[in-house]
Amino acid sequence: MRSWLCCAVLLAASSTQALAQTGSGIDASSDADRRAATTEAEMTNAERVGMLNGILAMPLGDTKIPEGAPLGAGYIPGVPRLDVPALTETDASLGVSYLGGLRGDGATALPSGMAMGSTWSPELMRAGGALIASEAHAKGFNVLLAGGINLVRDPRGGRVFEYLGEDPLHSGLLGGAAVAGIQSQNVISTIKHFALNPTEIGRQFHNGILEESALRMSDLLAFEIAIEQGQPGSVMCAYNKVNGAQACGNDRLLNGILKKDWGYKGWVMSDWGSVRATDFALAGLDQQSGSQLDAAVHFGAPLLDAANSDKRYRTRVADMSRRILRSIYAVGVDKNPPRKAAIDVAAGAAVAQDIAEKGIVLLQNRDAILPLAASAKKILVVGGYADAGVLSGAGSSQAQGQGGPAVSLPTMKDGLFTALMAQNYHRSAPLDAIRARAPQAEVSFRDGRYPAEAALAAKHADLVIVFGTQWLTEGLDVPDLSLPQGQDDVIAAVAKANPKTIVVLETGGPVAMPWQSDVAAIVEAWYPGARGGEAIAAVLFGDVNPSGRLPVTFPASVAQLPRPDLPGAETVEPSFAGHGKPGQTLDIDYNVEGADVGYRWFARKAEKPLYPFGFGLSYTSFERSGLSVTSGAAPAATFTLRNSGARGGADIGQVYLVETPRGKTRRLVAFARAELKPGEARTIEVPIDPRLLADWTPKGWSIAPGTYRFALGASSEELLEDVSVPIAGRTWNYAK
Ligand code: BGC
């Protein structure tokens, strides 16, 4: 009883046929438009409005869950007389959410967004999306609240682990591929949270301030690219304000940019509990989600009254319902309705493990201590609950396998938010996987509570594998980048006792590493998902050659960030709901960095990070060469990657724009992941999106005529050869 209430209130508080192979994942034909118009024309206003608000489908207060509706994040009734299906919604990007066990089932937990972002692989994103959507379908859902692609503007953001990185091209291509994979299963995907929602502090009222040209070139560009690639059926607007107006009632953002400029044809759903008034409909919002969480069902009776008496609302209500119908038809939700079935746990685990193995980033490897030699006789494993499982992030995105977490540590006294605000570990113990790979060795474990105890054991070991964890959750940011509860001290003590110390990090995002120079190796495993323990061991022992590259900059310290002091830290009480005191406001000025998010900020300030964007080591070596760039209407970059070492492995070719006629810059304009056998070379051509050469101006995208310099990079900081190319100027916008 308490467990469902917990989750329900937690959220309350917070809260076709084969689809075209164009990368869109959606039926791009006009058939969906025609069918939507025909069905909508047959509807009464009451039926239309019935589709425009939904409940949080959990037994919350006096909520009545309609018969047959699966417990999940949302339910919107259909119109049976017109064969319009009900919408059954579940979270999220990392798998079908567990809801603290409320539904009594488990699902495949994919690795975190950061881990997926580290693969730099749209193909893996697509496979992961298809997998979790097939599980959603088998659990009765036809909408997956996935596609989290907010750019990481601050590594302390509580939901960094859900997102893919700090670069708009990278997040846009990867996020769009995930959406396409989801929709290939006839399950509608969202893309979220639109827009400018990088931190959680005061999330219901903080006001992100950013001048429009910078917004268009950064956070919005990620959405724009992802929408083009994935054609998501729905866009979820964010909790926060953008330039003074609530994101879900933001005329400029929803009507002006999304629908008019970008020509978006799907529907905008609100985040849960973010609708303040019926006139949000006029600003471009199409559907109120989880309506019990708002002060009123603004998109219920008041909207019906307005539609019956006011032409503006009548027109909007028709458009709002047509948009939802269009996505239902375009994604094929009506043709292949969800069917309850058992999920294939082993197949899901294989996909999760594959992504984890390709997303783990090797950050340091002194004297090639990794991969581990079979000769080590005494291995000590320390900390991180490595004897039980691997960490996951918390909040609405939390997925867990059957039977729930291996370990669940409450972060608060028994109460309303306990289950979803717990630190949960998936049932995949690194210690077991290490033991399985080192049968000749004595592998012992210390929990890492006391630095002295761990150090004593370390002295007598041949080598030490110490785990460092940083738990992140929706709803709360972290105050700094330390590993909490004294773990930095444990690592330092162990490293002092034994120089053969290997640190394995399971962190939500970037962390500081005060012990960096004292340890032999550092492996960033993020939250590695359902088979994370096996993936970590596979990398440590060399069954898998690490190929992940950082999708975010690791700062040397928070002093290097655009806002060293977290805005609101002193005035806003940390709370999952983030409503604050009545009338409370918090302006966050993103004009400090503008469009120069992450590595671009570091390049602009000439700051040296701890580890740069794009960085990652391998057990083999690569040569990157032969960069050329063609200009013209369809610019492209060509380069050659060669595996110059003795082991098979994957490299990620990265091309950065480093100078334009407007001055020095740093912008990822092309990337490609290549699996290469020893000695193998591959020449790859990647198109360059002209928006990445342009600035957004009052007249639209504008490329200044002149010379552009591009560099092939091993990371955003390690630039290899460069080429200069003349590019003709042009300006274009969205006028039809
Ligand atoms: C989150 C969304 C989520 C929704 C439904 C909100 O609190 O911000 O990402 O999809 O809840 O659970």
Side-chain angles (χ1 to χ4, degrees):
M1 176 74 177
R2 200 171 54 228
S3 99
W4 68 254
L5 186 65
C6 146
C7 308
V9 178
L10 173 62
L11 287 168
S14 76
S15 65
T16 79
Q17 193 35 54
L19 300 164
Q21 285 305 298
T22 56
S24 72
I26 202 167
D27 176 5
S29 76
S30 57
D31 189 45
D33 293 304
R34 264 199 311 275
R35 290 183 64 201
T38 307
T39 308
E40 185 273 318
E42 305 251 316
M43 287 177 151
T44 64
N45 269 348
E47 285 170 335
R48 293 185 182 100
V49 170
M51 297 177 64
L52 305 181
N53 66 86
I55 54 163
L56 169 67
M58 301 223 222
L60 167 72
D62 56 6
T63 301
K64 292 203 179 41
I65 310 285
E67 217 185 300
L71 296 180
Y75 180 84
I76 295 101
V79 185
R81 86 175 174 90
L82 296 171
D83 292 330
V84 176
L87 295 177
T88 49
E89 302 173 330
T90 179
D91 286 296
S93 311
L94 312 181
V96 178
S97 63
Y98 187 59
L99 303 181
L102 180 62
R103 246 189 345 260
D105 63 352
T108 300
L110 292 180
S112 65
M114 280 291 118
M116 294 199 265
S118 298
T119 68
W120 295 57
S121 168
E123 292 72 29
L124 280 175
M125 296 301 294
R126 184 184 277 266
L131 184 260
I132 61 174
S134 72
E135 295 190 355
H137 194 264
K139 292 176 186 297
F141 297 104
N142 57 22
V143 179
L144 198 50
L145 307 172
I149 60 157
N150 293 90
L151 293 188
V152 176
R153 281 181 179 265
D154 195 310
R156 294 163 294 188
R159 297 185 89 168
V160 162
F161 75 94
E162 288 186 57
Y163 302 140
L164 301 173
E166 65 188 20
D167 177 79
L169 174 69
H170 169 276
S171 285
L173 291 180
L174 268 60
V179 167
I182 291 166
Q183 297 195 156
S184 72
Q185 303 301 302
N186 307 113
V187 171
I188 292 170
S189 179
T190 55
I191 196 107
K192 68 188 188 184
H193 307 86
F194 193 70
L196 204 58
N197 185 192
T199 53
E200 294 294 282
I201 191 156
R203 64 178 179 158
Q204 285 276 1
F205 62 85
H206 83 235
N207 176 32
I209 300 170
L210 183 56
E211 182 250 318
E212 189 172 311
S213 67
L215 188 54
R216 295 255 198 179
M217 292 164 65
S218 55
D219 298 61
L220 289 185
L221 186 54
F223 277 96
E224 190 177 7
I225 293 172
I227 290 170
E228 289 162 0
Q229 294 292 315
Q231 306 270 313
S234 184
V235 170
M236 187 192 293
C237 48
Y239 282 126
N240 51 287
K241 291 180 183 165
V242 178
N243 292 328
Q246 215 68 46
C248 288
N250 197 310
D251 178 69
R252 180 78 195 132
L253 218 47
L254 304 183
N255 282 333
I257 296 174
L258 178 68
K259 292 182 177 175
K260 182 164 165 288
D261 284 357
W262 299 352
Y264 180 65
K265 290 185 161 184
W267 89 94
V268 179
M269 70 166 74
S270 73
D271 201 342
W272 272 233
S274 65
V275 184
R276 308 283 192 267
T278 303
D279 67 8
F280 276 26
L282 299 180
L285 179 65
D286 298 307
Q287 190 181 57
Q288 180 180 9
S289 312
S291 57
Q292 314 99 303
L293 314 184
D294 287 312
V297 188
H298 301 290
F299 281 27
L303 188 60
L304 182 58
D305 286 350
N308 286 333
S309 60
D310 181 333
K311 190 161 169 273
R312 287 174 314 158
Y313 279 94
R314 196 155 48 246
T315 311
R316 266 299 283 144
V317 160
D319 176 51
M320 292 153 90
S321 36
R322 244 188 341 257
R323 285 173 172 277
I324 297 170
L325 290 165
R326 182 192 189 276
S327 291
I328 289 174
Y329 298 141
V331 178
V333 163
D334 58 324
K335 294 207 178 94
N336 179 17
R339 232 167 270 118
K340 292 245 167 105
I343 62 167
D344 184 340
V345 174
V351 173
Q353 186 169 340
D354 190 30
I355 295 173
E357 287 174 353
K358 293 181 171 125
I360 289 175
V361 187
L362 179 62
L363 294 174
Q364 180 165 300
N365 193 16
R366 286 216 182 107
D367 304 325
I369 188 170
L370 295 177
L372 292 177
S375 56
K377 289 280 173 284
K378 290 177 98 181
I379 300 176
L380 173 69
V381 176
V382 178
Y385 290 87
D387 56 335
V390 287
L391 187 58
S392 59
S396 58
S397 69
Q398 169 79 233
Q400 283 290 335
Q402 194 62 36
V407 172
S408 185
L409 304 170
T411 56
M412 58 181 70
K413 187 168 162 288
D414 195 28
L416 298 179
F417 297 167
T418 308
L420 280 199
M421 294 293 280
Q423 303 184 14
N424 291 324
Y425 287 74
H426 297 304
R427 293 170 185 264
S428 175
L431 182 63
D432 293 344
I434 289 167
R435 284 195 169 129
R437 279 182 172 76
Q440 83 293 343
E442 180 196 313
V443 183
S444 53
F445 180 72
R446 294 290 184 279
D447 62 22
R449 265 178 305 144
Y450 288 97
E453 184 189 52
L456 195 62
K459 242 196 239 171
H460 302 292
D462 293 338
L463 61 94
V464 189
I465 305 169
V466 53
F467 284 75
T469 61
Q470 178 220 38
W471 175 72
L472 291 184
T473 179
E474 174 181 344
L476 301 176
D477 299 325
V478 291
D480 59 39
L481 299 178
S482 62
L483 296 178
Q485 292 169 317
Q487 294 176 85
D488 285 319
D489 295 340
V490 174
I491 297 173
V494 164
K496 200 163 171 219
N498 191 328
K500 289 193 171 172
T501 289
I502 294 143
V503 178
V504 177
L505 294 170
E506 292 171 18
T507 66
V511 288
M513 303 181 199
W515 32 259
Q516 183 201 33
S517 57
D518 302 323
V519 303
I522 305 170
V523 174
E524 176 56 270
W526 311 107
Y527 301 152
R531 301 276 290 173
E534 284 75 7
I536 289 169
V539 165
L540 292 177
F541 286 88
D543 304 340
V544 165
N545 188 352
S547 59
R549 302 286 186 269
L550 294 179
V552 283
T553 304
F554 277 48
S557 86
V558 293
Q560 294 180 318
L561 297 173
R563 285 161 294 281
D565 295 325
L566 260 183
E570 293 200 14
T571 53
V572 180
E573 191 66 27
S575 100
F576 185 92
H579 287 289
K581 303 186 190 101
Q584 192 168 9
T585 56
L586 173 66
D587 286 345
I588 305 184
D589 185 5
Y590 298 113
N591 285 314
V592 178
E593 73 276 31
D596 292 336
V597 180
Y599 66 89
R600 298 186 57 181
W601 167 257
F602 278 73
R604 179 166 119 192
K605 305 297 279 185
E607 288 280 352
K608 194 174 158 7
L610 184 62
Y611 291 108
F613 174 84
F615 177 80
L617 302 172
S618 168
Y619 297 152
T620 187
S621 53
F622 298 102
E623 283 168 13
R624 296 112 177 171
S625 63
L627 177 65
S628 68
V629 172
T630 54
S631 55
T638 304
F639 50 86
T640 300
L641 302 176
R642 194 173 98 80
N643 183 343
S644 51
R647 234 176 224 269
D651 193 21
I652 316 247
Q654 305 162 38
V655 180
Y656 294 89
L657 175 63
V658 295
E659 197 166 357
T660 78
R662 293 182 170 119
K664 287 226 160 73
T665 186
R666 191 77 42 99
R667 250 184 136 171
L668 180 73
V669 296
F671 65 89
R673 183 187 165 93
E675 303 277 346
L676 298 166
K677 297 191 193 79
E680 186 182 352
R682 194 169 309 160
T683 298
I684 304 169
E685 187 185 280
V686 188
I688 296 177
D689 189 316
R691 286 170 293 198
L692 298 171
L693 308 178
D695 285 342
W696 179 264
T697 69
K699 291 188 177 151
W701 292 108
S702 173
I703 297 182
T707 301
Y708 285 66
R709 197 158 60 84
F710 300 86
L712 191 56
S715 73
S716 65
E717 291 281 301
E718 193 187 342
L719 302 178
L720 311 165
E721 57 186 69
D722 60 46
V723 292
S724 291
V725 183
I727 293 187
R730 70 184 173 108
T731 298
W732 71 101
N733 61 29
Y734 300 94
K736 299 278 172 330

